[in-house]
Amino acid sequence: MKTPTVNSVTHPSSTHFLLFVFSILFAYACQRTEATAQELLKGFKATPNASVSSFQALLSDSTDTFSLGFLRVNSKELALAVLHVPSSEQLWLANPTQLAPWSDRTQLFFNGSLVLSGPRERLFWSTETQGDRVVLLNSSNLQVQKLDEYVSILWQSFYFPTNTLLENQNFTSNMSLVSSNGLYSMRLGSNFIGLYAKFNEKSDSGQIYLRHKALEAKANIIEGQGAIYARINSDRFLGMYQVGTIPPVDMLPFNSFQRNITGFVFLRLESDGNLKGYYRDGSKWILDYQAISDTCELPNPCGSYGLCRAGSGCSCIDNRTDYSSGSCFESTSSGDFCSEGEDDYWVLRRKGVELPFKELMRYEMTSYLEQCEDICEKNCSCWGAVFNNGSGFCYILDYPIQTLLGVGDESKMGYFKVREGAGKKKMDVGFGVGIGVLCGAIVVLIGAISFGSCKIWMRRRGVKQILEDEDGISPGPYKDLASASFRSIEMCNARR
Ligand SMILES: *[C@@H]1O[C@H](CO)[C@@H](O)[C@H](O)[C@H]1NC(C)=O
Ligand SMILES: *[C@@H]1O[C@H](CO)[C@@H](O)[C@H](O)[C@H]1NC(C)=O
Ligand SMILES: *[C@@H]1O[C@H](CO)[C@@H](O)[C@H](O)[C@H]1NC(C)=O
Ligand SMILES: *[C@@H]1O[C@H](CO)[C@@H](O)[C@H](O)[C@H]1NC(C)=O
Ligand SMILES: *[C@@H]1O[C@H](CO)[C@@H](O)[C@H](O)[C@H]1NC(C)=O
Ligand SMILES: *[C@@H]1O[C@H](CO)[C@@H](O)[C@H](O)[C@H]1NC(C)=O
Ligand SMILES: *[C@@H]1O[C@H](CO)[C@@H](O)[C@H](O)[C@H]1NC(C)=O
């Protein structure tokens, strides 16, 4: 005799049945993506599938943790990417500066070289090798291998990092990490790790804003002995090493240093210029290291001509300008004042300002403010100068003015050139008024109910927010890993 309970199980309701069908379909769909190839051999070809909205996996590692595939970017473009599958986190891009179109004429093939080509034979990217197969290792390292008596590695993605350095990946002096917006880079010097900002497109090397010199506590750097390289060690530190010696010449510990944690680790140069380390804990990324912990010490937290004050956030160097729209002047700041037609500027002065990384800035010694200003005024590649009346230091800025620090000390004085025509966007005001008029019209036309909802809408989004959206140049907010960028890609086989 059957009990009612058993009955309810053996005769599922229609909802249960639907759920069942869905789970089968889902499992089937996931099966298909999980059955991604584990190696690519000569003759392999793939084109992006129009129906894929985020990521099309082509090659997986043996643990199915990492995947190489087509990543959809800005809805119409394609990057060849290696992702951490469970989190959809991008670890490596083949062609970060030259995206291909997401079109059936874009093709990835392997003919000894792994090649990404576009319409009309356009070459986007190639490994330029003569290998036998492509594999993705369980470290996320993509390799082109030659199979003779033994396996030799002709090319590997670990030699060409993008913005991310992975556990056990050797970072050498001929590599760089570049933030996804192309503004910041990390490079090695003879005995230090440097972070550089490309504030001026006319300068090749960029402005250094953080310099971590090897402490040489466990081993000294021996000149002429071997190159310096850096690596994230599984004990949770960023080590600097000299080729040929085993102990590190420097150790930058992560928070979880020497704690018994095994999750996957990586270090990333973020688009705000900070260098952050993360590790995987179950289904989350945990922030485990950051090179710059104070917002105002970042290279450009408030945008051009912004002023950052510890505790009170962003304002503008020009106190007549309201920061509320997310920036201080329309960003026509580039190049210098040396060429004709580019040489008009007006001068903005402000007391109580300081440079965020002044110890790394070029300076001259001057006796008084006018002398310091004069050096900058006479040099068309100078954008500004900050004078310290206490010490006589005159710091020279040879790039468009970025965010300065607001300090209480009025003896620190800034002189800044502002390109003529660089004013507040008039549109902000117009747009604001436009919104106002529109709301007014709605009030008149539709009456009290519409008025109510308009007000609610304005309050929810905030008028400020609307203006910011319009402006589109607000500096990147601090994003923790849990935030939007991490969820921007959804994959079928993301395990929830
Ligand atoms: C592979 O294809 C690329 C692009 O068409 C070509 O330049 C290259 O010579 C080919 N390599 C081999 C080994 O055939
Ligand atoms: C990754 O691969 C290496 C060598 O093939 C192996 O020793 C190691 O156990 C693998 N790690 C994982 C997590 O599978
Ligand atoms: C990194 O360098 C060390 C020491 O030179 C070497 O043993 C190791 O194999 C290298 N790792 C990779 C992934 O190339
Ligand atoms: C680390 O943790 C694992 C499991 O959590 C445990 O088995 C192991 O003994 C621990 N090792 C140390 C050195 O504490
Ligand atoms: C703006 O700065 C000028 C010059 O430093 C000063 O005279 C003026 O009072 C300031 N205005 C406001 C509103 O703070
Ligand atoms: C700079 O310092 C000197 C003496 O220390 C003082 O006389 C002068 O007024 C200061 N200049 C400014 C602009 O604050
Ligand atoms: C002008 O400034 C640039 C950049 O700061 C510097 O390299 C150059 O030497 C300066 N020129 C003169 C004449 O001082």
Side-chain angles (χ1 to χ4, degrees), residues 118-149:
R120 288 183 290 279
E121 314 262 299
R122 176 153 179 215
L123 188 69
F124 282 96
W125 176 81
S126 165
T127 57
E128 292 170 11
T129 46
Q130 293 192 2
D132 295 320
R133 67 167 186 183
V134 184
V135 289
L136 188 59
L137 303 189
N138 64 13
S139 56
S140 89
N141 192 1
L142 180 72
Q143 292 187 339
V144 176
Q145 299 177 338
K146 180 107 193 134
L147 306 171
D148 288 327
E149 280 159 60

Side-chain angles (χ1 to χ4, degrees), residues 81 97 105 191:
T97 53
R105 287 184 299 166
N191 61 355

Side-chain angles (χ1 to χ4, degrees), residues 362 379 381 396 398:
R362 190 169 83 86
N379 189 335
S381 45
I396 313 283
D398 60 1

